[in-house]
Amino acid sequence: MTVRRNVTPWASAALVLTALLTTSCAGEGNSAARPAASSPSVTPHGYVEGAREAAEQQSRLLLNDPDSGDTRILDLITGKAHRTAPVKDAVRLWTDGRFGYLHTPGGTHVLDGGAWMVDHGDHVHYYSAAARDVGELPAGSRAQVRSDAAVTAVTDEDGRALLYDRGELEKGRIASSRTLPGTYTGAVVPYEEHLLAFADKGGTTGLVVLDREGERVASPDVTCEEPRGDAVTGRGVILGCADGALLVRARSGAFTAEEIPYGQDVPAKERATVFRHRPGSDTLTAAAGDAVWVLDVTERTWTRVDTGPVVAANTAGEGSPLLVLETDGSLHGYDIATGKQTARTEPLLTDRKRAGADGGAPVIEVDRSRAYVNDPEGRRVFEIDYNDGLRIARSFDLDVKPVLMAETGR
């Protein structure tokens, strides 16, 4: 993998970034939530039509049983589960923080979880509204969906990418899409008003930066063998490669790509290909057979923690333990720096034989104070206080098997 810090312009005039779609908060102080006195019709700062603003995170869990199609939204504030339209045969569930995308062989069902946050940098707004079904995207079970505040990019298994107006999704409808020219390897990732993608560059797979019309505006001098896995962090976008990862950032109007190598030969089956982390955190995890990779984006370092057979892994970062659900059915806590186990729960999974099954394995969702583990056969979700020795804070009994789970509102 060859990396050069400065990018080679595809079209040098296009390297200037367009303004980010954010709302300025400067100088509003404690009066930010009120309209200006001289203009009573001004919309209050942070206002979102049809939503209720709250002082704390409004987390909800999206839950689905692929066999029955039963789908629920578990409100973590009230502890109540709400019914929504059934979605059968889903094989994956992904979320962008507000919308859930249930991938089925016949299409991708979009569910508005009704909880989200708006990050203004120095402060955050939390919102909640009624959950609703948005509709179907014509994208099969192997499609990959990635979003930012403006667009939702859907890349199908043949590498074709379509863009949808995310603002229309927020209004409860799916607008017509725009097809990007060319084909791409892996997911097309929206970032800083642009799109990051891997495309053929003279027989190798190289990173390209596209504008929102699909035109190449930059072509960083970097290649990535067997790209798999991506994650957006506060320090840039992480893209997984055969020998480590790339950190892509937009700085001073240009895109840079920095290599973060493993520093050792890693067999294909032990590479980091699916990243899990707490949204907003710069510490990523990835299961690697009988171990877990932890990538510290700030320090640009990989740490391999030997754990035993892994079902799921995650961490809140910032000094929090590495959380690993293992095939013994228990949740284990590890000190990332030393690799030593620091805590362990009693078995949480009712059916341990299916703990490592593909396509329906339990997951660990993490927010700033709690972690959530789904027990499909037991029809339960456990809430874990990971800062208190993995104490089980709450257990939610359900009327469905929560085979697929994702957290929104973060």
Side-chain angles (χ1 to χ4, degrees):
M1 180 186 299
T2 303
V3 177
R4 191 167 67 202
R5 293 299 181 91
N6 295 323
V7 304
T8 301
W10 186 272
S12 58
L15 277 175
V16 179
L17 297 177
T18 56
L20 298 179
L21 294 179
T22 58
T23 302
S24 174
C25 301
E28 294 183 11
N30 294 330
S31 63
R34 301 191 301 271
S38 61
S39 179
S41 63
V42 171
T43 300
H45 169 64
Y47 174 75
V48 175
E49 184 177 0
R52 178 178 63 85
E53 186 170 1
E56 61 181 358
Q57 185 171 291
Q58 302 295 293
S59 296
R60 296 174 182 177
L61 294 178
L62 309 184
L63 308 167
N64 173 265
D65 176 8
D67 289 339
S68 67
D70 290 335
T71 306
R72 300 287 186 270
I73 298 177
L74 176 61
D75 189 322
L76 294 172
I77 302 298
T78 66
K80 296 181 179 179
H82 304 277
R83 294 174 178 266
T84 186
V87 181
K88 293 195 66 174
D89 302 323
V91 297
R92 285 185 296 120
L93 170 59
W94 183 81
T95 181
D96 58 15
R98 172 172 177 174
F99 296 95
Y101 301 88
L102 285 156
H103 296 272
T104 75
T108 296
H109 187 85
V110 183
L111 175 64
D112 185 348
W116 66 95
M117 60 171 278
V118 178
D119 190 349
H120 288 295
D122 60 343
H123 66 283
V124 175
H125 296 272
Y126 297 107
Y127 295 100
S128 64
R132 58 185 171 184
D133 292 286
V134 179
E136 298 280 338
L137 297 174
S141 58
R142 298 178 65 182
Q144 300 186 73
V145 179
R146 302 292 185 267
S147 294
D148 67 3
V151 299
T152 295
V154 181
T155 312
D156 68 19
E157 60 184 292
D158 296 321
R160 294 172 298 184
L162 290 82
L163 296 186
Y164 292 86
D165 185 337
R166 194 170 183 274
E168 292 297 307
L169 296 183
E170 293 171 359
K171 296 175 183 177
R173 56 180 180 261
I174 296 175
S176 58
S177 62
R178 290 188 292 109
T179 303
L180 297 181
T183 58
Y184 304 95
T185 300
V188 172
V189 182
Y191 174 63
E192 294 285 9
E193 299 301 310
H194 287 71
L195 303 165
L196 305 181
F198 286 109
D200 181 75
K201 292 167 60 175
T204 62
T205 303
L207 177 67
V208 295
V209 181
L210 313 173
D211 65 18
R212 291 298 165 94
E213 299 301 320
E215 295 294 326
R216 294 190 188 185
V217 299
S219 186
D221 185 14
V222 60
T223 59
C224 177
E225 294 184 16
E226 302 175 21
R228 287 187 64 188
D230 56 87
V232 178
T233 76
R235 297 185 180 273
V237 177
I238 288 292
L239 302 170
C241 303
D243 55 359
L246 296 177
L247 171 60
V248 182
R249 293 184 291 171
R251 302 181 67 187
S252 302
F255 286 86
T256 63
E258 181 180 349
E259 180 186 20
I260 308 178
Y262 289 122
Q264 63 187 77
D265 291 331
V266 177
K269 65 179 181 180
E270 296 179 9
R271 295 173 187 164
T273 58
V274 178
F275 295 105
R276 302 280 296 177
H277 72 307
R278 175 182 62 78
S281 169
D282 296 326
T283 305
L284 310 182
T285 67
D290 291 348
V292 175
W293 284 110
V294 180
L295 174 56
D296 186 327
V297 181
T298 303
E299 299 296 329
R300 315 290 201 271
T301 57
W302 292 93
T303 300
R304 178 186 167 99
V305 180
D306 293 318
T307 59
V310 178
V311 177
N314 212 331
T315 183
E318 300 175 358
S320 298
L322 169 65
L323 305 177
V324 184
L325 185 64
E326 300 183 20
T327 52
D328 62 2
S330 298
L331 184 67
H332 300 247
Y334 291 87
D335 182 285
I336 295 174
T338 65
K340 294 183 178 179
Q341 181 174 292
T342 58
R344 175 185 175 182
T345 68
E346 294 297 318
L348 302 180
L349 303 182
T350 301
D351 186 355
R352 299 181 211 174
K353 294 181 180 179
R354 294 190 59 190
D358 293 335
V363 298
I364 304 170
E365 291 286 349
V366 177
D367 57 35
R368 288 190 175 276
S369 61
R370 295 290 189 267
Y372 298 91
V373 178
N374 52 323
D375 174 22
E377 294 303 315
R379 299 183 179 232
R380 294 174 297 181
V381 170
F382 294 97
E383 181 181 77
I384 307 294
D385 185 345
Y386 54 78
N387 289 318
D388 188 17
L390 306 187
R391 176 178 61 86
I392 298 177
R394 290 187 291 178
S395 177
F396 302 96
D397 295 321
L398 305 165
D399 63 345
V400 300
K401 293 182 178 180
V403 177
L404 301 177
M405 181 178 78
E407 185 177 357
T408 65
R410 299 175 297 180

